[in-house]
Amino acid sequence: MMHRATISMLNAASRRIAEPSARAVFSSRASVSDCPPKEQLFDDTVSSKPYIPLYHHRDASLFPPLIPDSLPYLIHNATAATQALFSLAFDEELRHEFFTIAKIYGLSPQVPRSDDDSDNLYNGCILNTNVVAQSDLGFINVFSLFDGLSSPLYEKGIPFNVKEFMDGAGFALEQFHKVDRDFFLSLRNKSMENYDFLTVAKSDRDSIEYDLMNMTTPPFWSYLDRCLRQVKPVLNKIAEIGAPAKSRIVNLALLSARIAEIEKPEDNVGDETYYEEESCSTMNQIVTQLEVLYERELSPTRYGDDVSSRTNVATFEACISGDPNGEQLQWRLSQTRPASEFPYLV
C-alpha cells in the first residue's frame, strides 16, 4: 500500500476542480475527435470524424515506451537525472523551482488536508520525493522526473498546468475504471462468435465500446482487441466470474514525465486494421507522456476477494503541438500497468 502520510487522498473536491481537458476526454461521450469552437469544447457532442493516430501510434520506435528494469529505462533515467543534477548545481533559479514543486521528507512541512483545499489533493506537491524515491532507482527517478518537467519542449506547444493535470487525474482514472468495468460486464450478454471490439466502437456511438475507445489511444485499442481475440471462446464465462470490482481512487503521485518532438516518418508503418485515417500534416508532433502512480480502493465482490486495494501506473498522453485532431489539448490514456518499479506494491 502506498505511503499514506505523503500521498494525497482524493476526495469530492477533485471532481469539482478537475482539469477541464482531462474531464472532457474521460467523461462519457466527450468531444475528442475534432476541434470544435472553444465555447463548445466540453459539450457532450461528438464529431463524426474518426480519431487520427499520431506518428508514434503507427511506429512505436519513434517514441518507444520505457519498461521498468529494462536497459533503455535505466539509461533514460540515469541520463535525465545527471542532466538535472548538473543544471541544479549551476542554476539558482532552477534550484528554487525544484524546492518549490518538491516535497522532501524532513524538510517540507506536513500539510493538513481539507476537503475544500485543492492544494491538498496530493499534499499540494507536484514532485513527491517521499514516494518517488521509494521506486527501484530511488532518487535517480526523482531527478529524472524533474528533468522531464523542465524540458524546453513544453514551451513550444499548448501550455498546460501540471498541478491542474494532477487535480484532474483522479477523476479521469475513476471514469476509466468505471467504463472498463461496465464494458467487461457487458460481455456476458454478447454473442462472441462474430464480435469485434473496434467494429462495434466505430459503428455505435451509444455503445460502451465507443466510450472506452474515446478515452484511450490507438495502441490501447489494438492491445485490447488482441486480448479479446485470444480468449474469445471463453470470454462470456470469464466476464461472468471475473468482473472487476467497483473502485475509487484514493492516492496519487506523479511518477515520470517524458516529452519528444517526432518527425513525420517517410513510410507508413503499422496495422491498417486500427489506423484507417491518414494525417495530411507534415508538421512535427510534440508528444508528452505523464505517468501517475495511483491506488484504488476496491469494493468487496460476491466472491469474497481479500484484496482491499490495488496500486497501478497510468500513462496519460497528449500531443501539445502538431496534433492532427485539433488545436485543443486532448489527454488520452495510453496504458495502465502494475507498479513494477515498486516491488513491494505489486
Side-chain angles (χ1 to χ4, degrees):
M1 189 169 294
M2 289 167 26
H3 202 304
R4 291 184 178 274
T6 57
I7 297 195
S8 65
M9 297 289 289
L10 294 187
N11 48 46
S14 66
R15 292 156 182 77
R16 295 196 300 271
I17 64 171
E19 181 193 20
S21 57
R23 187 165 62 236
V25 170
F26 287 93
S27 61
S28 178
R29 292 165 184 73
S31 179
V32 296
S33 296
D34 68 346
C35 182
K38 188 172 183 178
E39 64 273 11
Q40 298 179 1
L41 180 63
F42 306 130
D43 288 348
D44 291 334
T45 56
V46 180
S47 169
S48 59
K49 298 179 181 178
Y51 178 79
I52 301 175
L54 305 178
Y55 301 150
H56 71 288
H57 292 158
R58 293 178 174 275
D59 183 0
S61 65
L62 297 175
F63 194 27
L66 295 178
I67 303 173
D69 297 328
S70 67
L71 183 59
Y73 168 82
L74 175 61
I75 293 175
H76 167 82
N77 286 291
T79 302
T82 302
Q83 292 173 345
L85 288 169
F86 183 83
S87 299
L88 288 168
F90 296 99
D91 191 328
E92 182 177 354
E93 184 178 345
L94 203 62
R95 288 197 298 273
H96 176 73
E97 180 180 343
F98 176 81
F99 285 104
T100 299
I101 69 171
K103 179 179 177 63
I104 303 177
Y105 184 75
L107 297 180
S108 304
Q110 292 291 328
V111 181
R113 288 191 292 265
S114 167
D115 286 347
D116 297 324
D117 189 351
S118 62
D119 287 342
N120 291 330
L121 292 177
Y122 40 92
N123 282 353
C125 174
I126 299 299
L127 202 166
N128 196 330
T129 64
N130 304 346
V131 175
V132 182
Q134 297 180 49
S135 62
D136 51 1
L137 299 182
F139 268 86
I140 290 178
N141 281 345
V142 171
F143 291 110
S144 175
L145 170 57
F146 181 72
D147 182 73
L149 292 174
S150 304
S151 172
L153 284 177
Y154 284 111
E155 299 177 4
K156 299 174 63 175
I158 304 171
F160 72 94
N161 188 304
V162 180
K163 177 185 176 299
E164 291 179 352
F165 167 83
M166 290 299 292
D167 289 340
F171 174 84
L173 287 168
E174 284 197 352
Q175 288 297 101
F176 167 75
H177 282 290
K178 178 182 182 301
V179 171
D180 182 59
R181 181 177 187 273
D182 290 344
F183 166 69
F184 203 78
L185 291 173
S186 72
L187 296 177
R188 295 182 300 182
N189 302 317
K190 294 184 183 293
S191 173
M192 305 310 300
E193 183 177 354
N194 298 314
Y195 176 77
D196 183 84
F197 167 76
L198 287 173
T199 299
V200 176
K202 293 176 181 179
S203 61
D204 185 1
R205 294 188 189 183
D206 294 325
S207 66
I208 195 70
E209 287 87 348
Y210 184 83
D211 290 340
L212 187 59
M213 184 178 72
N214 271 340
M215 295 178 174
T216 52
T217 61
F220 188 100
W221 312 340
S222 58
Y223 169 77
L224 177 61
D225 197 48
R226 287 195 302 270
C227 291
L228 292 176
R229 291 176 186 274
Q230 291 176 359
V231 297
K232 182 177 289 189
V234 293
L235 196 53
N236 294 111
K237 199 62 176 178
I238 293 175
E240 176 68 31
I241 66 175
K246 292 182 179 180
S247 64
R248 68 185 184 96
I249 307 300
V250 293
N251 292 320
L252 278 182
L254 188 62
L255 184 59
S256 73
R258 288 201 303 155
I259 188 170
E261 186 169 5
I262 305 172
E263 297 182 358
K264 184 174 183 177
E266 294 181 0
D267 300 322
N268 292 329
V269 180
D271 188 340
E272 296 303 319
T273 302
Y274 307 106
Y275 313 128
E276 297 177 353
E277 292 296 317
E278 285 281 353
S279 171
C280 298
S281 173
T282 58
M283 296 175 56
N284 290 356
Q285 295 175 351
I286 299 179
V287 179
T288 182
Q289 291 184 345
L290 302 181
E291 286 191 321
V292 176
L293 180 71
Y294 69 101
E295 181 183 8
R296 288 190 297 147
E297 183 180 88
L298 306 178
S299 300
T301 67
R302 59 175 176 166
Y303 299 102
D305 296 341
D306 57 358
V307 179
S308 59
S309 66
R310 185 164 296 159
T311 305
N312 294 91
V313 173
T315 304
F316 291 91
E317 177 181 292
C319 183
I320 65 172
S321 179
D323 190 347
N325 297 286
E327 298 179 356
Q328 296 289 345
L329 190 64
Q330 302 175 11
W331 290 100
R332 284 175 175 258
L333 194 63
S334 177
Q335 69 168 342
T336 60
R337 59 174 178 81
S340 52
E341 305 94 321
F342 300 83
Y344 60 93
L345 295 176
V346 178

